[in-house]
Amino acid sequence: MQDPYVLVSTRLFSRYLSSVKRFSSMMGMGESKKQVGVLGLGRMGAALAGAFLGAGHDVVVWNRSPLKAGPLLDRGARLAATPAEVATADVVLSCLSTHDTQQPVLKELTPAVLVNLTSGTPEQARDVAKWAASRGIDYVDGVIMAVPQGIGTPAARILYGGSAAAFEAHREVLEVLGEPVFLGEDAGLAALYDLALLGIMWSTMSGYLHALALVGTEGVTPERFTPMALPWLSAVGGFLAGMSAQVASGDYTTDVSALDINAAGLKLLVETSRAQGISTVVPAPLAELFTRAVDAGHGAHAIASVIEEIR
Ligand SMILES: NC(=O)c1ccc[n+]([C@@H]2O[C@H](COP(=O)([O-])OP(=O)(O)OC[C@H]3O[C@@H](n4cnc5c(N)ncnc54)[C@H](OP(=O)(O)O)[C@@H]3O)[C@@H](O)[C@H]2O)c1
């Protein structure tokens, strides 16, 4: 697997490269236009197809509800009557709601290259990879770390795993959607990263919503509180590099803040939430986790030692 730090350090260069290529593409220079097939025209699939049209590619689309293709057809896309009709495209992207809904659709076609952007588990991605290999399809599994409105902008990052050869062969097409990051040949890797990153997002957002509910019990509005939360979140983000080093080395020595103090603080948060009449559903499991780690002997260690309990 490629070292994630190497990936991060190459980010600026690859962004620069993307901008140059996008500019060249807009000017009709350099890359050759390809035929791109898109299966699924929900919020995300329609954004993907729109970005390919914007970059001048020949786009063929299929959707269970064909009426949704209207705006894309007006921009020059071609509508396929069946999934099988997109199979002749140079590269086919699939973006349906789930792997379960996608499975019968994929069974209808045998494209040369399939890029799956439907969210799922690592196991589901590996199953599709096995199925694709049995049909001679080059398979790339991707996850979109962006909302539809971000597709085609520098804010979009898309993580890929699977066939490195297929990824490289179609890198320029994929760059139209956002910054592509190839994680390795294991087709399950992108889904694993996706769920790990979304876990950070969901737990952070839940913590924020709990905070709003807590200060709200005393009449503090979200508008008043959020300017405090934003720099705090960025300060918390600043701790991650140090925690990463501690987890990597297994050395949890700290002269900053020990786990027992933080476990005690979490108990205060649970008590105060209860006293203020709101649910403890967000902080209570965290208080339990930290207490378990203290009981396991990590009281004097850094917060990063909690990972031993999670593992
Ligand atoms: N939206 C985002 O911000 C976002 C971000 C990252 C990743 N994603 C991922 O992208 C994928 C698509 O998300 P979305 O936001 O575009 O969802 P969506 O707007 O709900 O669209 C779902 C798509 O799946 C199709 N579909 C659903 N059930 C089907 C079935 N039984 N047979 C055939 N087609 C079926 C829909 O067809 P109809 O139009 O006929 O209903 C539509 O094309 C998901 O896996 C999602 O996790 C989305």
Side-chain angles (χ1 to χ4, degrees), residues 39-48 62-66 68 94-102 104-105 117-120 143-149 151 194 198:
L39 298 167
L41 298 177
R43 292 166 191 86
M44 187 53 88
L48 303 177
W62 174 86
N63 196 50
R64 177 181 62 171
S65 316
K68 282 194 186 165
S94 179
C95 190
L96 298 171
S97 51
T98 64
H99 272 254
D100 286 345
T101 57
Q102 177 177 254
V105 174
L117 294 173
T118 298
S119 302
V143 296
I144 303 168
M145 307 312 300
V147 293
Q149 292 72 13
I151 294 299
D194 185 39
L198 289 172

